[in-house]
Amino acid sequence: MTTTAFLTDTTLCIGCKACEVACKEWNGVPADGYSLSGMSYDNTRQLGHSTWRHVKFVEIPAANGSGTPSWFFSSDVCKHCERAGCLEACPTGSIMRTEFGGVYVQPDICNGCGYCVVSCPFGVIDRRPDDGRAFKCTFCYDRQREGLTPACAKACPTESILFGPLDELREKAGRRIEKLRSQGADDAVIYDPRETSVGGIHAFFIVRGDPRAYNLPMAPEVPSVLNRPAWTSAAAAAGLMVLTG
């Protein structure tokens, strides 16, 4: 089965939030409310149990603090990591890897322990306050099984969100970067942390400037990579206690 992916090109996003609406409508995700957050024009703030797609409004101040700031929009989503911290941490088998490469939470098996929440290097997965179960983007697993495009990508009017085979989208992202830089966007980069313990993501991004402005950490790591040094330290301490005794 082909591994599928999202490529989100922030240079094409117009901030319309059609992806957010389509995601909620298709998946029956609860409403977030309509109060402005005070953070630009964003009313959903961040990804969470009731926000599986989040259009972030990014304002970058002009150089030297003068002039009009630059505006960018980025439709954030679960990264469906190649090596997923949430999947590794889940004790019940609720979180699985689908045949399409996505990371899927089975809500009927989730016991609400929250281990996945603290193990996600991107802060994506979240628990609902009413029953404690964890929720996030399903990669429209039900639609993919029927050969359909995920709802968010289907609804995007500018094709800022592309869906398709992972390898093909990575090639397309490379060509897009070359085009942007030829047009003067020298700060355009691909965000796909393949060199970290995450091993790359199946929902990657084209951004301009510092990825951290888009809530994308520079070096995300799967928490379990710290297990070996922790156990090594514990073993050394235990050995020292035995020798001392």
Side-chain angles (χ1 to χ4, degrees):
M1 188 68 68
T2 301
T3 297
T4 54
F6 285 133
L7 167 59
T8 302
D9 187 345
T10 64
T11 68
L12 296 176
C13 182
I14 58 175
C16 69
K17 290 183 177 278
C19 55
E20 284 193 24
V21 175
C23 176
K24 283 184 176 290
E25 287 185 342
W26 179 263
N27 294 291
V29 181
D32 300 289
Y34 299 99
S35 300
L36 288 176
S37 65
M39 300 173 63
S40 186
Y41 294 100
D42 182 12
N43 69 307
T44 48
R45 296 175 183 261
Q46 60 189 8
L47 294 172
H49 62 81
S50 61
T51 303
W52 298 357
R53 265 278 180 189
H54 170 240
V55 177
K56 183 175 179 61
F57 288 61
V58 181
E59 296 182 44
I60 300 178
N64 302 320
S66 61
T68 304
S70 299
W71 280 79
F72 296 99
F73 308 100
S74 176
S75 181
D76 200 7
V77 70
C78 170
K79 313 307 181 288
H80 297 278
C81 306
E82 182 68 28
R83 181 180 177 186
C86 61
L87 191 155
E88 290 186 354
C90 181
T92 65
S94 167
I95 303 178
M96 56 173 276
R97 177 83 62 183
T98 75
E99 63 267 34
F100 305 106
V103 179
Y104 180 73
V105 181
Q106 302 171 88
D108 58 326
I109 301 177
C110 177
N111 67 357
C113 69
Y115 292 163
C116 57
V117 176
V118 298
S119 298
C120 174
F122 297 97
V124 168
I125 197 164
D126 189 26
R127 292 189 296 170
R128 286 189 181 158
D130 56 351
D131 63 11
R133 291 181 301 163
F135 289 87
K136 69 171 190 67
C137 164
T138 65
F139 216 165
C140 277
Y141 180 45
D142 54 345
R143 291 178 63 90
Q144 287 202 61
R145 290 179 67 180
E146 298 300 322
L148 300 174
T149 298
C152 56
K154 185 73 174 179
C156 182
T158 64
E159 295 188 344
S160 168
I161 303 171
L162 296 179
F163 169 78
L166 176 60
D167 292 340
E168 291 182 13
L169 288 183
R170 280 177 170 158
E171 292 177 2
K172 185 171 291 187
R175 293 193 297 270
R176 176 63 176 166
I177 288 293
E178 291 178 0
K179 182 176 180 180
L180 287 170
R181 291 179 177 173
S182 70
Q183 295 173 339
D186 296 330
D187 57 349
V189 296
I190 298 171
Y191 182 82
D192 183 12
R194 301 167 72 176
E195 71 285 354
T196 71
S197 59
V198 169
I201 49 183
H202 297 181
F204 59 107
F205 301 80
I206 292 176
V207 301
R208 293 190 60 185
D210 190 340
R212 289 172 294 186
Y214 302 82
N215 199 33
L216 300 171
M218 294 299 293
E221 299 288 354
V222 178
S224 59
V225 300
L226 302 176
N227 288 348
R228 177 173 293 180
W231 281 111
T232 299
S233 298
L240 182 60
M241 290 176 63
V242 170
L243 291 175
T244 303

